[in-house]
Amino acid sequence: MRHRKPKRRRPSRYVYAALLPLAFVISWNEPVRDAVSPAAHRSHHRGPAEADAPRPRIVPRSAWHADESLVRERASEMKNVQVVFVHHTSQPNGYDCHEVPRMLRQLEKEHVERGWDDLGYNFVVDHCGTIYEGRSGALGRSVEGAHTKGFNGRSLGIAAMGTFDEGNAVPRPMLRSIAAVAAWKLRPGADVSGTTRLVSSSGDSRFDKGEHARFHVIAGHRDAYETSCPGKALYGKLGEIRDEVQRLRKRAGDGADGPGHRPSTEPDGR
């Protein structure tokens, strides 16, 4: 037998009339505390060491003559980059840096032929340390790439042009440039030497779909997917990249570029 809860008696309209002015006074004078999350409050009052690093010099897609007719769909924008996944492109290492635009166009074509909407990596760095805009929109916004299956959302893909398996040297200019992009793009306040958690969107990754996975804030592709990428040599340099990112962010926080300064995202002419 179901028991019905007795109906609550509504206050008379005279009670409402009496309370209305008081309610108005409370709502007018009470500060809005829940409109902005605690994290957002912290982002506006973060310490100097957490300031954003400036944008490094980047060659835009227009300068390496990306084939925009190949782009099937514009990438979705991301709010915060929580993890940077480092890759290598598996191309030969003996290239001259002036050949890189041609190599990027070939890479773009190969990625689209795989069924991706565009070049998969957000950024590509050559052995001279030159940084190239990869996926369309990556220069002006944080956009979702196609670089780490299952974890493209909330992550950034930076690819080192070449092959960096065991025994291959990783040039210092390349490491510094990878760090510069990571320092610029990672969310404010990120613990560069720490870890963070992402949720897998694909069972084809190392983790089941829906599974929570913990990664270093700067991680290698192989941490999330069954691959040797970014190669043993480059993977062994991730600690150096983390140290450099911390240095760049601390330098920005100490005022070398002004606390919290973020330069214009207008493309560099090169």
Side-chain angles (χ1 to χ4, degrees):
M1 184 175 182
R2 294 182 63 187
H3 295 277
R4 295 180 179 273
K5 290 184 179 179
K7 289 186 177 179
R8 295 178 59 187
R9 296 184 62 185
R10 293 183 179 178
S12 72
R13 63 175 177 270
Y14 301 108
V15 176
Y16 280 128
L19 291 176
L20 184 58
L22 180 60
F24 180 78
V25 171
I26 292 173
S27 63
W28 180 263
N29 292 322
E30 186 69 14
V32 180
R33 293 191 174 91
D34 297 326
V36 182
S37 69
H41 280 296
R42 286 194 297 272
S43 70
H44 288 291
H45 302 285
R46 56 185 181 268
E50 295 174 326
D52 303 340
R55 177 172 71 87
R57 187 171 180 83
I58 298 170
V59 178
R61 286 168 64 94
S62 59
W64 59 265
H65 303 294
D67 188 347
E68 302 299 348
S69 69
L70 293 177
V71 179
R72 296 176 177 177
E73 187 176 340
R74 296 296 173 184
S76 302
E77 187 169 359
M78 296 185 295
K79 295 298 181 185
N80 286 300
V81 175
Q82 296 185 6
V83 176
V84 169
F85 285 109
V86 178
H87 305 255
H88 66 178
T89 64
S90 297
Q91 292 167 299
N93 289 338
Y95 59 86
D96 290 325
C97 288
H98 72 267
E99 298 178 292
V100 172
R102 175 188 58 79
M103 296 169 71
L104 283 171
R105 290 192 295 273
Q106 180 61 33
L107 199 62
E108 178 192 22
K109 182 180 176 183
E110 290 173 3
H111 284 195
V112 173
E113 287 174 350
R114 292 183 192 180
W116 301 347
D117 293 329
D118 190 5
L119 185 65
Y121 311 118
N122 298 91
F123 297 94
V124 179
V125 179
D126 68 17
H127 64 67
C128 292
T130 305
I131 305 166
Y132 293 85
E133 179 187 18
R135 176 149 288 220
S136 179
L139 185 58
R141 303 174 293 139
S142 291
V143 297
E144 186 173 328
H147 51 84
T148 306
K149 195 161 190 174
F151 299 98
N152 289 314
R154 297 296 178 94
S155 74
L156 189 79
I158 306 175
M161 181 161 281
T163 301
F164 297 99
D165 295 327
E166 187 173 13
N168 290 111
V170 185
R172 285 293 305 162
M174 175 176 275
L175 293 175
R176 287 196 296 266
S177 291
I178 291 172
V181 177
W184 168 49
K185 279 291 187 179
L186 274 169
R187 66 177 179 82
D191 181 3
V192 177
S193 62
T195 62
T196 192
R197 191 172 62 175
L198 297 178
V199 179
S200 175
S201 63
S202 173
D204 291 335
S205 71
R206 285 186 181 271
F207 304 87
D208 293 334
K209 184 176 181 179
E211 185 177 351
H212 291 256
R214 186 162 288 279
F215 298 106
H216 285 284
V217 169
I218 296 176
H221 185 195
R222 74 184 197 184
D223 294 329
Y225 191 75
E226 292 288 349
T227 178
S228 62
C229 180
K232 191 169 183 179
L234 181 52
Y235 192 83
K237 297 291 185 180
L238 294 185
E240 292 183 30
I241 292 172
R242 293 180 192 116
D243 290 344
E244 178 69 5
V245 173
Q246 276 191 319
R247 187 190 68 79
L248 290 171
R249 288 196 144 196
K250 186 177 187 302
R251 180 184 177 189
D254 286 344
D257 298 293
H261 173 68
R262 187 181 288 276
S264 165
T265 52
E266 288 299 311
D268 294 317
R270 185 179 295 189

